[in-house]
Amino acid sequence: MTLKYPWLLLLFLLYVPLIWWYLKRNRNATPSLGLSTLSPFANMPRSWKEYLQKFNFILKLLAMAAIIVALCRPQTYDSRRTSRVEGTDIILALDISGSMASKDFEPSRFQAAKDVAIKFVNQRSNDNMGLVVFAGESLSLMPLTYDRAALINALQNVELGDLTDGTAIGDGLASAVNRLVSGKAKSKSVILLTDGTNNAGEVPPATAAQIARQKGIKVYTIGVGTNGTIQITDPYGFSTTTLETKIDEASLKKIADETGGKFFRAKDEKMLQKVFKEIDSLEKTKLDVENFTRTDEAFFPWILAAFCCYALSVLLRYTVLRRVP
């Protein structure tokens, strides 16, 4: 058992003034009666009530001690264990440029991509996964983690417009590769999803692909959406913008081929789901994973002990130790 707030044990210092006050108060508290001599009482034993009075004070101290320990939040943990599982290191690189708001997917390319990605994350419980988003620049939102809840939360909270508009495929891929370098699995992969052509950023896609190949990282590229003219309405419905979109399939295929990955084309949500289902069969390697069980709070027995001690103290105070004026 451990204490979440061990510094609260300093409250035990309150015992010093309490004990001092008790001793001072009871030093002259014994009833007295004027007599010419006390010799007849010299060998009389002490009353059991005198000892019970001290015991009553100890009960109050024990109740206070139990409350202090409860405030320290005692907690129990199951033992930590390391297990070997099959998994891989994966970074999701998601395009969040303005064109991803197109409605050729239901409800939009962007939302459909997020929904399928979240489902994919849930299915791969043993993988070490992270998230990179890119538009006119790239941003690493989540490092490699086994915390599925944190990764899904990051996916759910990312929105279009979080970055400068554009499509920096090379920057997005470079950020993903940089995140994967620290991974411990032998199998490392990037799943890059975009609906456009590289038109921004500082790193050319070909250069990022070469770096990925040198690091032994496979890149699975997904071209999502249809080519042609699309209309994008702002979130408030006040204005509509017309854009010409064209997925650079040749570049995406070259990136996948050079790194040993595969290129996929998804023109609707069903095809996108099939793509992620196929990627779900990626090769896996043995990984050592540390497993922790949930923390259990252990303060209730201390609260119960405090209540019992104080209740017994009150019972004694108003029964056998009751004072008559």
Side-chain angles (χ1 to χ4, degrees):
M1 185 180 69
T2 60
L3 301 177
K4 187 172 183 180
Y5 307 123
W7 53 270
L8 286 176
L9 292 175
L10 292 173
L11 290 173
F12 277 108
L13 293 175
L14 293 173
Y15 275 34
V16 176
L18 283 175
I19 294 173
W20 175 83
W21 169 80
Y22 176 80
L23 294 175
K24 183 179 180 182
R25 188 192 69 169
N26 290 278
R27 180 177 300 171
N28 301 314
T30 304
S32 61
L33 179 65
L35 295 172
S36 59
T37 178
L38 296 177
S39 56
F41 305 97
N43 297 321
M44 288 187 64
R46 291 189 176 186
S47 170
W48 60 271
K49 285 190 176 182
E50 183 179 350
Y51 294 103
L52 199 58
Q53 188 72 39
K54 293 181 172 59
F55 176 69
N56 191 36
F57 177 67
I58 293 174
L59 281 176
K60 293 177 181 179
L61 293 181
L62 290 174
M64 182 177 174
I67 291 174
I68 291 174
V69 174
L71 288 174
C72 292
R73 292 279 298 277
Q75 298 173 332
T76 58
Y77 299 87
D78 289 341
S79 59
R80 181 175 66 180
R81 60 188 178 88
T82 301
S83 59
R84 290 185 66 81
V85 299
E86 286 190 338
T88 184
D89 292 340
I90 301 175
I91 291 290
L92 297 173
L94 179 63
D95 186 348
I96 61 170
S97 59
S99 58
M100 288 291 287
S102 175
K103 303 292 185 180
D104 53 349
F105 281 60
E106 186 63 37
S108 68
R109 291 179 183 177
F110 178 65
Q111 191 58 50
K114 286 208 301 183
D115 292 343
V116 176
I118 289 172
K119 185 176 180 181
F120 176 78
V121 169
N122 277 323
Q123 291 173 343
R124 301 188 65 89
S125 58
N126 292 329
D127 292 324
N128 204 9
M129 304 183 72
L131 176 65
V132 167
V133 294
F134 63 93
E137 54 190 339
S138 67
L139 175 65
S140 180
L141 278 184
M142 182 65 61
L144 288 171
T145 179
Y146 290 102
D147 190 339
R148 291 291 168 269
L151 182 56
I152 290 173
N153 185 61
L155 274 167
Q156 290 174 334
N157 289 330
V158 66
E159 296 293 344
L160 298 178
D162 286 348
L163 298 175
T164 304
D165 203 18
T167 307
I169 296 175
D171 283 11
L173 179 54
S175 295
V177 170
N178 186 53
R179 278 299 187 188
L180 280 171
V181 170
S182 61
K184 297 181 179 179
K186 293 182 180 178
S187 176
K188 303 177 189 294
S189 309
V190 175
I191 300 176
L192 188 146
L193 187 148
T194 182
D195 69 342
T197 301
N198 189 77
N199 57 18
E202 299 179 355
V203 182
T207 301
Q210 290 175 4
I211 297 173
R213 178 175 56 80
Q214 293 170 1
K215 300 294 183 180
I217 298 171
K218 294 181 179 180
V219 182
Y220 295 83
T221 54
I222 304 173
V224 58
T226 56
N227 292 325
T229 301
I230 61 171
Q231 290 187 336
I232 301 174
T233 303
D234 71 271
Y236 304 101
F238 294 132
S239 62
T240 300
T241 304
T242 301
L243 294 176
E244 185 74 24
T245 64
K246 183 179 181 181
I247 298 172
D248 191 353
E249 296 186 20
S251 177
L252 295 178
K253 190 174 186 304
K254 184 178 179 181
I255 292 173
D257 291 342
E258 184 168 348
T259 59
K262 190 174 180 180
F263 168 68
F264 300 91
R265 188 74 172 85
K267 296 183 179 180
D268 55 45
E269 189 173 356
K270 285 186 177 180
M271 291 178 66
L272 184 60
Q273 291 173 348
K274 289 181 180 179
V275 166
F276 272 91
K277 187 175 181 180
E278 184 172 343
I279 293 176
D280 190 43
S281 63
L282 294 174
E283 60 183 295
K284 299 178 176 66
T285 57
K286 292 289 185 180
L287 295 173
D288 289 328
V289 179
E290 289 188 335
N291 298 296
F292 300 86
T293 55
R294 187 173 57 184
T295 301
D296 292 323
E297 299 287 348
F299 65 86
F300 180 74
W302 295 96
I303 294 293
L304 183 61
F307 174 79
C308 291
C309 288
Y310 187 74
L312 181 56
S313 173
V314 172
L315 181 64
L316 291 174
R317 172 70 178 82
Y318 289 99
T319 54
V320 296
L321 296 178
R322 183 178 181 182
R323 293 182 179 181
V324 179

